[in-house]
């Protein structure tokens, strides 16, 4: 089994139960017709493979990467968007062996490795490219994970990642909290904590990455109601007996999660969701905020900022440019 790393205990330093997350992902990977629930991972995986939303394919470089690592690959949501012209060989790593067994075939030669993102079993300076899509938000120690990624990259290697951001599922979060406050006098976390975008660049820089790019994007999905949202997230809120849970594999695995929501609270939350966020056609939106990040490992060949004091033009001289251009036109 994959190493437990820092996830073996509960508490503030290890908010997620990694063993439970592995079980959830293994269960989700063997459900019938998982493709029905893969639409979000497909879209984000395609954007990550292109370097971010709206970027041209293989945006960080026109070169070919001989060896790449897909971290938290799942069923291969990034691999299916890569070509042999971009990546010659791909190592797919995931904590859940069932996800790797059920991965979609790619034209790129691939090798599957069961391992935890928090403890990579690879030597330093191994990969030319590391990619990761919608996996790192479940890591207990994100700074450590970034350091591990930086370590296994070769100099001049690049990391391209995508993860859920802090505003993800704010409609669901708010509706559940208001309903619990109303019906039970307090609330517990039912949606896992996410990283703030203001912290992301700092964490990547501390890990050693340079020439950083961080983008945010939002994807909004409409559902019939709150119960369908929670079903689509493979929630552990099965209160109605016949509520079939689906395969997105995004169930809450926080140590401090509440194992049960009362039926009255659920019904109240559904009404609040509809009242506060409902669309005119009766559906309700669920917002997924995505952070896309690109960071490079330093190499001597990379362009560097000029030394302080080496400028030949002052900022004061820049103010004169408009006047010079105007005279030139005359």
């Amino acid at each position: 089994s994959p190493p437990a790393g820092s996830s073996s205990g509960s508490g503030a330093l290890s908010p997620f139960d990694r063993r439970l997350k592995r079980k959830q992902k293994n269960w989700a990977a063997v459900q019938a017709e998982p493709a029905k629930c893969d639409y979000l991972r497909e879209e984000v995986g395609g954007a990550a493979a292109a370097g971010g939303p709206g970027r041209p394919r293989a945006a960080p470089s026109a070169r070919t990467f001989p060896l790449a690592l897909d971290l938290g690959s799942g069923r291969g949501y990034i691999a299916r968007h890569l070509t042999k012209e971009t990546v010659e060989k791909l190592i797919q790593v995931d904590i859940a062996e069932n996800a790797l067994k059920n991965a979609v075939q790619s034209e790129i030669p691939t090798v599957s490795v069961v391992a935890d993102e928090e403890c990579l079993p690879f030597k330093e300076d191994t990969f030319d490219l590391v990619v990761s899509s919608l996996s790192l938000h479940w890591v207990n120690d994100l700074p450590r994970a970034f350091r591990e990624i930086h370590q296994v990259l070769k100099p001049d290697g690049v990391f391209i990642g995508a993860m859920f951001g802090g505003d993800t599922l704010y409609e669901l979060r708010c509706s559940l909290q208001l309903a619990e406050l109303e019906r039970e006098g307090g609330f517990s976390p039912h949606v896992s904590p996410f990283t703030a975008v203001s912290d992301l660049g700092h964490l990547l820089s501390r890990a050693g990455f340079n020439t950083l790019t961080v983008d945010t994007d939002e994807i909004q999905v409409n559902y019939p109601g709150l119960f369908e949202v929670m079903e689509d997230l493979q929630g552990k809120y099965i209160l109605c007996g016949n509520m079939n849970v689906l395969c997105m594999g995004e169930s809450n695995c926080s140590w401090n999660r509440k194992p049960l929501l009362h039926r009255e609270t659920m019904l109240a939350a559904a009404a609040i969701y509809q009242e506060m966020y409902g669309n005119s056609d009766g559906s309700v939106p669920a917002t997924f905020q995505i952070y896309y990040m690109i960071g490079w490992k330093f190499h001597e060949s990379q362009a560097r900022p000029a030394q302080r004091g080496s400028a030949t033009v002052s900022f004061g001289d820049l103010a004169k440019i408009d006047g010079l251009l105007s005279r030139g036109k005359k």
Side-chain angles (χ1 to χ4, degrees):
S1 63
S6 61
S7 59
S8 56
S10 60
L13 295 178
S14 298
F16 302 122
D17 183 345
R18 295 288 290 174
R19 291 184 176 87
L20 176 58
K21 175 47 56 183
R22 180 186 180 189
K23 290 180 180 178
Q24 291 171 348
K25 292 185 72 174
N26 270 324
W27 181 89
V30 297
Q31 297 308 298
E33 300 184 86
K36 280 186 177 180
C37 314
D38 281 352
Y39 53 88
L40 187 64
R41 296 187 177 280
E42 284 277 6
E43 182 168 346
V44 176
R55 294 178 182 272
R57 186 170 299 278
S61 177
R63 71 186 185 199
T64 298
F65 298 96
L67 183 61
L69 170 66
D70 185 354
L71 196 56
S73 62
R75 297 180 59 250
Y77 305 102
I78 291 182
R80 65 192 72 179
H81 297 284
L82 298 174
T83 66
K84 289 185 289 187
E85 288 71 31
T86 305
V87 173
E88 293 180 354
K89 185 176 182 180
L90 181 67
I91 308 296
Q92 292 179 308
V93 167
D94 201 275
I95 196 174
E97 58 271 20
N98 286 345
L100 294 171
K101 290 176 183 176
N102 290 276
V104 176
Q105 292 296 316
S106 167
E107 67 175 65
I108 303 169
T110 60
V111 176
S112 299
V113 177
V114 179
D116 197 309
E117 296 96 326
E118 296 183 347
C119 192
L120 298 180
F122 304 108
K123 294 180 180 179
E124 189 174 354
D125 301 341
T126 297
F127 298 98
D128 305 279
L129 168 70
V130 175
V131 293
S132 180
S133 180
L134 299 187
S135 174
L136 291 174
H137 57 280
W138 288 121
V139 168
N140 278 306
D141 192 343
L142 190 57
R144 176 183 172 180
F146 284 155
R147 289 195 301 270
E148 296 244 344
I149 292 170
H150 184 269
Q151 182 174 320
V152 301
L153 272 172
K154 292 179 181 178
D156 202 32
V158 61
F159 166 57
I160 304 175
M163 60 186 292
F164 285 125
D167 287 340
T168 294
L169 297 173
Y170 70 87
E171 305 98 339
L172 175 63
R173 191 194 318 262
C174 185
S175 300
L176 289 171
Q177 289 178 356
L178 289 175
E180 276 196 288
L181 282 170
E182 176 190 323
R183 298 303 172 101
E184 302 179 32
F187 65 86
S188 298
H190 298 283
V191 178
S192 297
F194 297 110
T195 303
V197 69
S198 57
D199 297 329
L200 199 54
H202 179 60
L203 292 176
L204 288 165
S205 180
R206 280 179 54 193
F209 291 101
N210 59 23
T211 320
L212 298 174
T213 302
V214 177
D215 291 328
T216 63
D217 191 23
E218 284 191 356
I219 300 173
Q220 195 171 84
V221 182
N222 293 321
Y223 295 88
L226 174 141
F227 289 95
E228 287 77 11
V229 175
M230 298 176 78
E231 183 179 14
D232 202 34
L233 296 172
Q234 192 184 333
K236 295 297 180 185
Y237 312 97
I238 308 176
L239 306 176
C240 304
N242 60 353
M243 189 177 187
N244 298 320
V245 222
L246 93 339
C247 348
M248 192 182 285
E250 287 301 325
S251 305
N252 189 356
C253 67
S254 300
W255 286 103
N256 61 347
R257 66 193 178 277
K258 190 174 181 179
L260 186 68
L261 272 170
H262 298 296
R263 176 180 172 82
E264 292 76 14
T265 303
M266 288 287 292
L267 293 174
I272 292 171
Y273 205 141
Q274 184 66 53
E275 177 67 24
M276 291 183 63
Y277 305 107
N279 299 315
S280 58
D281 62 358
S283 64
V284 296
T287 299
F288 298 89
Q289 184 182 41
I290 314 295
Y291 299 156
Y292 293 93
M293 65 205 95
I294 300 175
W296 295 82
K297 186 169 181 176
F298 175 75
H299 186 267
E300 289 291 339
S301 64
Q302 293 173 354
R304 285 185 255 181
Q307 288 186 345
R308 188 178 180 87
S310 63
T312 57
V313 179
S314 71
F315 280 107
D317 293 334
L318 295 177
K320 304 174 185 177
I321 290 178
D322 287 340
L324 292 172
L325 291 175
S326 300
R327 267 180 280 171
K329 288 179 181 177
K330 292 177 183 177

